[in-house]
Amino acid sequence: MDKYECTVCGYVYDPEQGDSEANIAPGTPFDKLPDDWQCPVCGAAKDEFEKVA
């Protein structure tokens, strides 16, 4: 699964870890995150993330 990086603060969403603070289960791909999900570090919107090569 692809990782995505916040272009604002550099946080990397790793689907294998999920986001426990937002009740996102491990194994959740980035494209399956809720549309209103935000970066847990800086609060940036989901559209501020880019796929990490």
Side-chain angles (χ1 to χ4, degrees):
M1 284 187 276
D2 296 320
K3 295 180 182 179
Y4 284 77
E5 181 177 9
C6 178
T7 60
V8 176
C9 74
Y11 167 82
V12 175
Y13 174 75
D14 182 348
E16 292 182 12
Q17 295 181 7
D19 179 5
S20 61
E21 291 183 16
N23 293 321
I24 305 297
T28 303
F30 187 81
D31 64 346
K32 298 295 184 190
L33 293 174
D35 290 337
D36 61 351
W37 180 83
Q38 296 178 334
C39 176
V41 175
C42 72
K46 189 176 168 185
D47 63 1
E48 295 287 339
F49 282 71
E50 292 183 350
K51 185 176 172 180
V52 177

